[in-house]
Amino acid sequence: MVSTHEGASGGATHAVFNQPPPLAPYDASDDRALLEGLRREGAGWAEEGVRRLGLRAGSAEAQEWGELANRHEPVLRTHDRYGNRVDEVDFHPSWHHLMRVAVAEGLAGAPWADDRPGAHVARTAGGLVWGHTEAGHGCPTSMTYAAVPALRRQPDLAKVYEPLLTSRAYDPDLGVPAQKSGLLAGMGMTEKQGGSDVRTNTTTATPTAEPGVYTLSGHKWFTSAPMCDVFLVLAQAPDGLSCFLVPRVLPDGSRNAFRIQRLKDKLGNRSNASSEPEFDGTVAWLVGPEGQGVKTIIEMVNCTRLDCVMASATLMRKTLVEAGHHARYRSAFGARLVDQPLMRNVLADLALESEAATTLTLRLAGAADRAVRGDTGEAAFRRIATAVGKYWVTKRGPAFTAEALECLGGNGYVEDSGMPRHYREAPLLSIWEGSGNVNALDVLRALSREPGTAEALFAELALAQGADARLDAAVKRLKGRLAEGSPSGARRLVELMALTLQGSLLVRHAPPAVADAFCATRLGGDWGYAFGTLPDGADLDAILDRALPVSDPSGAPAARAV
Ligand SMILES: Cc1cc2nc3c(=O)[nH]c(=O)nc-3n(C[C@H](O)[C@H](O)[C@H](O)COP(=O)(O)OP(=O)(O)OC[C@H]3O[C@@H](n4cnc5c(N)ncnc54)[C@H](O)[C@@H]3O)c2cc1C
């Protein structure tokens, strides 16, 4: 289609052509790797809901919410006009629209109240499609989801709060938590002197006369989504670092001391507020035994780490879809970009990475789901594979989104395209919930302290044994390197674990063209350093036919070269 701009003289100054139409509306669930993984991991019953959510995520309305929530950032109001502290953060209405849908669709705590096998997988798949809107609001929904298993370490508190954390009602008004229709939870671990090493926390917890109730004093350096209703916070109690539940409003309706000093001015994740709260006589309830704060809150971190993998896989898929859409409509040097051989190589290489990330995400979600239901083998696999996946998939995110952005040329560098927003989001996922080194070292810790985790990983890899010689050789290499276990080599080891795990999943579940190209490049070494360096033998047509959406409402021809 050609549109012209009429100047004052009535003559056309320039015609607009060779630009793609808007992508939205599109179907964010039109992703074969995702739907196949959903069924395979035991949540086929959720497919209809995931498809409905995918259509909603790709609607022009929801895409606009994502854009507006990031353009109109949250604003901190510390005081009211009379000088009283209020510590409120004001959000654009789009933020609330996004949150309302996310909570209603079960992307917060709902799976914990759902006995159906696969409930946690269904939530992960929902996140993979709803995340096409924007990433920031995934922070409070993730923390709310993750708070439940940690809170269960204190059954009397869980009895009151769990039904509200698992509710599908989004209730953003400030109020007594137990009287609300639904709650959101945040977490406060990081302090100025240490985020990875939380044992250096200096916030103190002083017992009161009432058993289990303490007062906190201290200053947290990062506490995201400060408008949540309750927070799990680490503080030093007489018997050591402990976990506490901190509500913003106390049971008698008075405000708890939760003074937000400022909001962070962040690279990305701008729709979401990340704050520095100060605790001063803040009333808190002990969660789990005193001195076992890390052990308690690690239950939460296990879940948020999976969500980091999910969010990275979502960014990959979203930016791949954007890149594929652009390449279909944009021509250069006499052919559509999608028909230019080298662009096909770039898109296919990105597609491989995206499918590997999505497939691993759903495998991890399946492990979490089965572990929650008492499967000890899956619990051991989850323990090590989540740290492996968190390390590798989030590490690939920034390079992936940069390459996808480049597929749009200069348009990709401009905010209107949405690509800068996705690009800025990507590095965060490898920083919070354990930065790259911390996750890699956590894998070493699991190997040395919980040998069952290595057994579980190799049992999983063995399921693909004999299917691909390059994969078999890589697993052999991995076994040889396991004994090394040096901290300085942790990244190399974990990278190989991640690639063998992804390769084994693709060999078992993806079409041969995908599995073959993945093994040739990521395991067989026939690969350059940048994306777009698949070898000559790679079946680009088959990879692209599978990956690029087939339901483009504009009716553009499929990706295959014509
Ligand atoms: C946008 C945003 C929101 C956040 N929200 C929250 C929140 O809601 N609640 C919360 O508690 N925290 C939050 N955080 C904090 C986040 O979890 C920490 O920043 C993160 O855990 C790293 O801690 P740190 O910043 O203190 O860095 P450090 O711990 O100082 O680490 C710095 C670097 O050193 C590396 N490193 C650490 N230890 C080792 C080691 N032993 N060997 C080798 N390398 C090592 C790390 O991998 C990292 O690369 C948020 C952070 C961001 C950016």
Side-chain angles (χ1 to χ4, degrees):
M1 184 198 287
V2 176
S3 74
T4 56
H5 291 241
E6 300 288 321
S9 64
T13 56
H14 61 277
V16 178
F17 66 100
N18 197 24
Q19 291 275 8
L23 172 62
Y26 73 102
D27 180 359
S29 69
D30 188 9
D31 178 348
R32 290 180 202 170
L34 185 155
L35 294 175
E36 289 166 14
L38 176 77
R39 294 175 208 132
R40 195 168 54 240
E41 297 298 338
W45 51 265
E47 183 167 337
E48 198 186 321
V50 169
R51 284 178 179 270
R52 183 175 35 74
L53 191 57
L55 281 170
R56 190 142 191 220
S59 70
E61 181 185 50
Q63 290 292 307
E64 190 181 28
W65 291 343
E67 147 76 14
L68 291 175
N70 282 275
R71 210 170 269 277
H72 304 283
E73 295 173 11
V75 176
L76 172 63
R77 258 187 308 125
T78 52
H79 298 79
D80 69 11
R81 57 184 286 200
Y82 306 106
N84 301 305
R85 277 210 80 116
V86 290
D87 299 291
E88 288 288 350
V89 181
D90 297 326
F91 291 84
H92 189 268
S94 294
W95 168 268
H96 295 295
H97 298 324
L98 290 160
M99 285 296 301
R100 191 163 288 111
V101 174
V103 175
E105 293 288 345
L107 305 187
W112 300 107
D114 188 340
D115 287 339
R116 284 175 292 183
H120 296 267
V121 178
R123 172 186 175 271
T124 301
L128 284 165
V129 298
W130 185 244
H132 280 233
T133 54
E134 73 96 41
H137 74 293
C139 171
T141 55
S142 175
M143 292 192 294
T144 303
Y145 169 66
V148 174
L151 199 59
R152 284 181 176 176
R153 293 199 163 227
Q154 192 64 43
D156 55 327
L157 293 179
K159 196 171 166 209
V160 177
Y161 294 108
E162 184 170 328
L164 299 166
L165 292 167
T166 58
S167 156
R168 289 176 183 245
Y170 174 57
D171 183 352
D173 293 338
L174 192 66
V176 176
Q179 294 169 10
K180 293 185 64 173
S181 57
L183 297 179
L184 295 175
M187 66 158 101
M189 296 191 286
T190 307
E191 296 184 0
K192 295 185 198 75
Q193 69 283 356
S196 308
D197 188 0
V198 292
R199 293 167 308 172
T200 62
N201 272 195
T202 60
T203 296
T204 57
T206 308
T208 66
E210 196 179 334
V213 184
Y214 294 64
T215 55
L216 305 189
S217 171
H219 184 192
K220 293 290 171 183
W221 189 231
F222 278 96
T223 296
S224 289
M227 293 300 95
C228 288
D229 301 284
V230 294
F231 297 81
L232 291 186
V233 171
L234 291 183
Q236 302 286 359
D239 275 350
L241 193 65
S242 310
C243 181
F244 295 90
L245 182 86
V246 174
R248 276 205 303 139
V249 177
L250 293 169
D252 67 3
S254 63
R255 297 283 293 261
N256 206 357
F258 191 98
R259 300 201 189 105
I260 302 172
Q261 303 304 300
R262 58 176 173 165
L263 299 184
K264 301 287 194 188
D265 184 7
K266 298 175 287 184
L267 170 67
N269 195 256
R270 298 191 75 98
S271 63
N272 182 29
S274 296
S275 73
E276 296 170 21
E278 182 188 70
F279 302 132
D280 184 10
T282 304
V283 184
W285 280 259
L286 182 67
V287 180
E290 239 192 58
Q292 293 197 17
V294 172
K295 205 170 172 189
T296 302
I297 213 153
I298 208 75
E299 295 280 353
M300 186 170 187
V301 174
N302 279 337
C303 295
T304 52
R305 281 187 180 167
L306 168 59
D307 281 1
C308 290
V309 185
M310 171 187 83
S312 263
T314 307
L315 280 178
M316 288 182 188
R317 178 66 194 169
K318 168 66 173 165
T319 54
L320 172 65
V321 169
E322 294 278 1
H325 177 75
H326 184 88
R328 267 182 178 167
Y329 288 93
R330 181 80 162 183
S331 295
F333 301 99
R336 292 185 307 163
L337 289 176
V338 76
D339 295 329
Q340 297 282 8
L342 188 50
M343 180 57 92
R344 294 180 73 69
N345 196 322
V346 172
L347 292 170
D349 208 354
L350 292 173
L352 287 186
E353 194 72 27
S354 170
E355 174 151 2
T358 298
T359 303
L360 178 56
T361 301
L362 289 164
R363 175 67 186 91
L364 295 176
D369 194 86
R370 290 183 280 277
V372 163
R373 288 165 222 290
D375 184 328
T376 52
E378 285 290 89
F381 174 76
R382 174 200 190 198
R383 164 70 185 91
I384 194 162
T386 304
V388 168
K390 162 72 163 88
Y391 171 76
W392 182 243
V393 176
T394 66
K395 192 60 68 194
R396 297 291 283 164
F400 186 109
T401 47
E403 194 65 63
L405 178 156
E406 189 175 320
C407 291
L408 276 68
N411 290 340
Y413 201 70
V414 174
E415 291 290 339
D416 289 351
S417 72
M419 299 300 264
R421 165 156 62 91
H422 306 312
Y423 176 63
R424 286 193 298 266
E425 189 73 26
L428 175 57
L429 297 163
S430 73
I431 293 175
W432 61 11
E433 309 311 320
S435 305
N437 288 352
V438 170
N439 264 276
L441 293 171
D442 188 43
V443 173
L444 293 193
R445 191 175 307 114
L447 290 172
S448 67
R449 293 197 193 158
E450 300 167 64
T453 60
E455 282 166 30
L457 180 69
F458 282 106
E460 175 82 9
L461 295 176
L463 296 174
Q465 199 175 356
D468 187 289
R470 295 155 301 193
L471 175 61
D472 289 345
V475 173
K476 199 170 161 203
R477 269 202 312 280
L478 178 60
K479 281 184 179 154
R481 280 202 205 151
L482 264 196
E484 295 169 15
S486 82
S488 76
R491 282 186 178 221
R492 268 181 78 103
L493 179 71
V494 177
E495 185 173 312
L496 187 55
M497 280 181 175
L499 292 173
T500 50
L501 183 53
Q502 288 184 320
S504 74
L505 290 169
L506 295 182
V507 161
R508 287 164 59 205
H509 307 303
V514 172
D516 180 62
F518 188 91
C519 289
T521 52
R522 274 68 167 172
L523 296 171
D526 193 3
W527 192 40
Y529 291 105
F531 285 107
T533 52
L534 298 181
D536 281 348
D539 188 345
L540 305 184
D541 286 348
I543 297 168
L544 288 176
D545 278 353
R546 174 171 170 82
L548 290 181
V550 291
S551 64
D552 192 324
S554 61
R560 182 185 287 278
V562 287

